[in-house]
Amino acid sequence: MNCSHVAKKFAIGAALVLSLTLARAADDLPKAETILDKYVDATGGKAAYMKHHTEITKGTMDIAALGVKGTVTTYSAEPNKSYTEFDLPGLGKTTKGTDGTVYWMQSAMVGAHIEEGAEKAQSMRARMNAEVAWRELFKEVKTVGMDTVEGKECYKVEMTPTEGAPITQYYDKRSSLILKMTMTTQSALGEQTADSFYSDYRKEDDVVMPHKIKTNIAGQDIVFTVDSVTFNPEIPADKFALPSEIKALANKK
Amino acid sequence: MRFRCGALALWLALAGAVGAQPALPPAERQLNIDSFEEVWKTVRDKHWDPKLNGVDWQAAHDDLLPKIEKAATMDDARDVMSEMLDRLHQTHFAIVPGEAYKELGSNAGAEKDSASEGAPGIDLRILDGHAIVTLVVPASPAATKGVKPGWEILKIDGKDLAPGIAKVREAMGKSLTGELLQTSSLKERLEGPIDKTVEVEFLDGKAHKVKLKLGRAGPRGAETVLGRLPPLHFWVEAHKVQQDVGYVQFNMFFEPDAVNAAVQKMVTECAGCRGFVIDLRGNPGGIGGMAMGLAGWFTSKPGLVLGAMHLRTATIKFAVYPHAEPFSGPLAILVDGCSASTSEIFAGGMQDLKRARIFGTHSAGAALPSLFEKLPNGDGFQYAIADYISTGGQPLEGVGVTPDEEVKLTRHQLLEGQDPVLDAAVSWIHKQKD
């Protein structure tokens, strides 16, 4: 028997022990509802979220594989209006938004379209203060096990939206913060699995939020970094108005 | 956190040039060995096909490691890495010399030292084994000296082109990329420092030999920078042909805002036109996603797909989002052996969708989506990350786009000031019913 054989046996043994441990732990796992509510509490509490009615977030987006780094600015307003600008040098500007009814995306590179079905549902879930509205946005949530993210023990919660594929979020057992999310993005470009890792949690006006999100999609890493968050700024109403091309597409429908 | 990313499907296509280098000190040799290892590992880990097209990649490493260890110059090291990549027998795997990057650094928009490089203002193609001028840029050094389309280039700086053209033709056989590579190589020989001339011997329209010392001017268009690519020069032109046909041409798929604005303007002005021409001759490609945006100007049908990019872990469809007011009349797309990558994705997809008729000669068959990385030795490394299958089910790599109507350029027609490919497209448009 050589060393690798022995190592293999140890590995199999370790896996068995681990799965038995996890199986036993699964009986004691907290309910998903509890985990999600604890997340809201850990990040500031419902009252802290609800005192914010508008928001401007500015940051950067870095696509390492291309060596491209640009800016991202998001304007949000209650209950569900948003407008985001991605400006990447050499790739042009991409905008995405909703007036609360029509959800759309537009870029010189790919074109313009009105989101439908699962793609629209995905955008609807990214509304302002969505963190406290999970009961409206997901028809079922359940704790499906434990996992380790960046060396931290996490509760793994599967969340099934009213439309579209389930997402899985990993909540740090100690801090209650989200450390990872796995989802399947759905659009005319196809279905892509995306793994997002959340870090650099810091407080912004009583709400704790991640300031770095590293997303791996289609084998490439995209890093979003938050530089500033402004709550309750005056945002002109026309910021959320549909662009003329989108308005024309909407009228055609 | 409300930052979200719309799905991005980006990839790039370009090739580079080479220069001579002196013997290297040990530290730089080590950087070349490190670069060799990085190239090898990147292909092993990121090639879309885990079986690497059936190539014994470990053997490639083991065979060539002694060679890279002995490589005494940068040119030698690049040759070894290129030899390794050649074993894949696929396009879009290349080593781009660090010199080509011209100080690409912190700020993408920063000034680059590209003002000192230029060209005489000639475009050319290999027609029946001869290097023929196909275009003379107005007001360029070549135009000033009276060079005309249709002239044959016999010698550059005293070197006879005929033996080289014949040799490459024989070596490349029926390979579709031969025309692209040979044309690029000859154009590079005309390029150089702006303060130096290049001596070119032509055969003019009356079959007389004409020897001219041509100056060089900065490349046509505005400098554009994208990520780790060397700085490039981009131009787009749009106008009407014969008053009733829209025409758009751009030299590469970069600057999405500029291309989109030019196409939008022409589609708007051309609402009553009989047809539209997109001229992709000589266009080597660029940002793949732009094929989708361009296609959206020429269909009102939702749900169309140009093709799909197959990565190791995902498949991305090239969906077409129709614009609100697209051009719905006849569409002709012009291609030739120097139309590659995104040009082929667009032309092939529109042909498969039966939305366009393709005119010209067979495209380059070089259509693998790729990325660029900087190597430890400062060189750039281009590597393909995906295969691309057009919506008709055919891969474009090595196959290319076959025109619906093959039209070859001839020296005689060029001397007469004709563009038979464009003429054929316009003629077809005029024959279509309103």
Side-chain angles (χ1 to χ4, degrees):
Chain A
M1 187 180 285
N2 61 31
C3 286
S4 68
H5 224 104
V6 174
K8 215 171 188 179
K9 274 200 158 187
F10 272 124
I12 293 167
L16 279 171
V17 171
L18 187 64
S19 54
L20 286 171
T21 310
L22 291 178
R24 194 171 62 238
D27 298 336
D28 309 323
L29 289 175
K31 282 187 164 181
E33 289 82 351
T34 309
I35 295 169
L36 293 171
D37 286 338
K38 271 183 88 173
Y39 170 75
V40 173
D41 291 341
T43 52
K46 190 174 179 181
Y49 279 97
M50 298 315 288
K51 69 180 184 179
H52 300 143
H53 311 292
T54 60
E55 179 185 331
I56 299 175
T57 307
K58 293 184 178 180
T60 59
M61 176 180 175
D62 191 349
I63 309 173
L66 295 179
V68 173
K69 187 174 182 177
T71 58
V72 189
T73 306
T74 295
Y75 301 82
S76 311
E78 281 185 325
N80 55 359
K81 291 179 180 172
S82 78
Y83 172 77
T84 301
E85 276 183 14
F86 304 89
D87 202 349
L88 295 165
L91 294 172
K93 193 180 274 188
T94 297
T95 51
K96 180 174 169 62
T98 176
D99 60 357
T101 308
V102 176
Y103 289 75
W104 57 270
M105 191 166 179
Q106 184 173 25
S107 77
M109 187 166 68
V110 176
H113 72 282
I114 293 173
E115 296 176 352
E116 308 275 5
E119 185 185 16
K120 179 181 175 181
Q122 216 163 270
S123 295
M124 289 172 78
R125 292 199 299 274
R127 73 187 212 192
M128 190 161 180
N129 295 334
E131 292 83 348
V132 296
W134 63 264
R135 283 183 172 82
E136 289 170 46
L137 302 172
F138 296 93
K139 63 183 178 192
E140 187 186 7
V141 295
K142 58 182 176 187
T143 313
V144 292
M146 299 285 297
D147 210 334
T148 303
V149 177
E150 307 285 340
K152 291 175 180 166
E153 238 187 319
C154 289
Y155 297 119
K156 197 172 160 183
V157 177
E158 191 177 279
M159 307 167 74
T160 307
T162 45
E163 187 171 1
I167 66 172
T168 306
Q169 301 204 134
Y170 299 74
Y171 292 83
D172 184 356
K173 189 177 172 184
R174 290 184 64 185
S175 68
S176 299
L177 299 176
I178 298 173
L179 299 188
K180 180 184 172 187
M181 177 176 73
T182 299
M183 67 182 295
T184 303
T185 66
Q186 293 167 301
S187 73
L189 305 186
E191 291 192 355
Q192 316 293 336
T193 300
D195 287 323
S196 296
F197 295 86
Y198 299 77
S199 60
D200 191 17
Y201 274 90
R202 279 183 270 142
K203 196 179 266 190
E204 299 280 358
D205 192 24
D206 295 336
V207 172
V208 175
M209 56 177 66
H211 285 61
K212 183 178 174 187
I213 298 178
K214 186 171 94 174
T215 297
N216 184 281
I217 183 164
Q220 305 302 327
D221 283 335
I222 301 171
V223 176
F224 296 92
T225 306
V226 176
D227 293 331
S228 72
V229 182
T230 310
F231 286 114
N232 296 330
E234 284 284 329
I235 300 176
D238 63 1
K239 183 59 84 179
F240 305 111
L242 301 182
S244 55
E245 171 81 10
I246 299 296
K247 212 180 279 180
L249 286 171
N251 288 339
K252 274 180 109 174
K253 285 175 184 281
Chain B
M1 183 64 181
R2 276 163 274 282
F3 277 11
R4 285 167 299 108
C5 173
L8 293 171
L10 310 172
W11 71 96
L12 311 167
L14 271 179
V18 192
Q21 292 285 320
L24 299 169
E28 289 185 31
R29 285 187 183 211
Q30 185 56 48
L31 288 177
N32 282 334
I33 295 168
D34 295 345
S35 300
F36 171 89
E37 293 292 353
E38 190 167 321
V39 167
W40 183 79
K41 277 183 200 155
T42 302
V43 172
R44 181 195 65 186
D45 297 339
K46 296 189 177 173
H47 194 285
W48 70 91
D49 172 11
K51 292 178 181 167
L52 300 184
N53 208 22
V55 174
D56 186 343
W57 199 235
Q58 188 62 50
H61 175 274
D62 298 347
D63 291 350
L64 294 169
L65 184 59
K67 276 193 175 182
I68 194 78
E69 286 170 345
K70 284 181 194 157
T73 67
M74 287 300 286
D75 282 351
D76 290 347
R78 288 167 188 151
D79 284 348
V80 176
M81 287 185 266
S82 298
E83 191 182 333
M84 180 163 70
L85 294 171
D86 285 348
R87 294 197 182 190
L88 293 166
H89 298 294
Q90 285 166 328
T91 64
H92 292 69
F93 288 92
I95 303 297
V96 181
E99 300 91 283
Y101 280 82
K102 298 188 180 82
E103 295 298 317
L104 256 193
S106 52
N107 188 353
E111 281 190 2
K112 313 291 183 313
D113 182 26
S114 61
S116 59
E117 292 289 312
I122 289 172
D123 200 1
L124 62 92
R125 293 289 185 278
I126 309 298
L127 306 179
D128 292 326
H130 301 272
I132 305 293
V133 175
T134 53
L135 179 121
V136 179
V137 177
S140 65
T144 309
K145 289 279 178 104
V147 179
K148 304 279 184 214
W151 285 21
E152 180 177 356
I153 303 172
L154 301 173
K155 291 180 181 175
I156 298 175
D157 281 334
K159 195 169 177 189
D160 196 353
L161 303 189
I165 291 173
K167 210 170 170 184
V168 173
R169 217 178 177 194
E170 192 186 329
M172 298 298 293
K174 289 183 178 174
S175 167
L176 293 173
T177 50
E179 188 179 340
L180 178 66
L181 297 175
Q182 201 162 23
T183 306
S184 305
S185 158
L186 289 180
K187 284 204 272 193
E188 276 165 21
R189 286 171 64 179
L190 291 167
E191 293 165 4
I194 278 178
D195 56 357
K196 288 188 179 156
T197 56
V198 55
E199 189 180 79
V200 185
E201 187 175 308
F202 296 96
L203 192 68
D204 73 6
K206 292 176 181 164
H208 295 145
K209 287 185 179 175
V210 180
K211 201 183 275 186
L212 295 172
K213 281 198 172 181
L214 299 176
R216 292 177 173 121
R220 183 182 173 191
E223 189 172 281
T224 180
V225 175
L226 175 61
R228 293 192 192 90
L229 289 170
L232 301 162
H233 281 78
F234 167 86
W235 53 263
V236 55
E237 66 170 66
H239 54 82
K240 283 186 190 174
V241 177
Q242 294 182 15
Q243 314 296 324
D244 61 359
V245 175
Y247 175 92
V248 174
Q249 184 184 25
F250 44 99
N251 65 325
M252 48 183 75
F253 278 84
F254 283 97
E255 294 293 336
D257 290 333
V259 171
N260 191 53
V263 177
Q264 180 172 22
K265 186 169 180 284
M266 193 43 59
V267 166
T268 307
E269 287 176 10
C270 236
C273 282
R274 295 287 302 272
F276 212 101
V277 174
I278 300 289
D279 190 347
L280 299 176
R281 290 176 291 176
N283 188 321
I287 301 168
M290 286 177 67
M292 297 185 256
L294 185 57
W297 284 110
F298 298 100
T299 182
S300 55
K301 205 172 169 185
L304 297 180
V305 171
L306 292 175
M309 180 167 99
H310 300 274
L311 297 108
R312 192 177 277 202
T313 56
T315 295
I316 297 171
K317 291 180 194 166
F318 276 57
V320 180
Y321 297 117
H323 280 272
E325 302 289 340
F327 181 80
S328 55
L331 173 66
I333 300 172
L334 316 187
V335 297
D336 67 9
C338 294
S339 307
S341 199
T342 311
S343 291
E344 297 180 285
I345 286 171
F346 176 71
M350 295 300 265
Q351 184 183 43
D352 286 344
L353 293 169
K354 304 198 185 317
R355 176 59 191 96
R357 186 166 175 83
I358 314 296
F359 295 81
T361 53
H362 213 290
S363 70
L368 297 179
S370 64
L371 294 175
F372 270 79
E373 247 175 41
K374 204 106 187 233
L375 294 172
N377 68 358
D379 280 354
F381 168 39
Q382 182 193 22
Y383 60 97
I385 52 161
D387 198 6
Y388 183 87
I389 308 292
S390 195
T391 202
Q394 279 275 358
L396 290 172
E397 174 70 4
V399 177
V401 179
T402 306
D404 298 297
E405 200 166 311
E406 188 178 51
V407 187
K408 288 183 177 173
L409 287 177
T410 66
R411 172 169 143 84
H412 174 72
Q413 288 165 314
L414 288 165
L415 287 168
E416 294 289 318
Q418 296 171 4
D419 183 344
V421 185
L422 179 59
D423 292 346
V426 172
S427 169
W428 168 75
I429 285 169
H430 283 151
K431 283 179 194 159
Q432 304 309 298
K433 287 179 186 170
D434 287 327

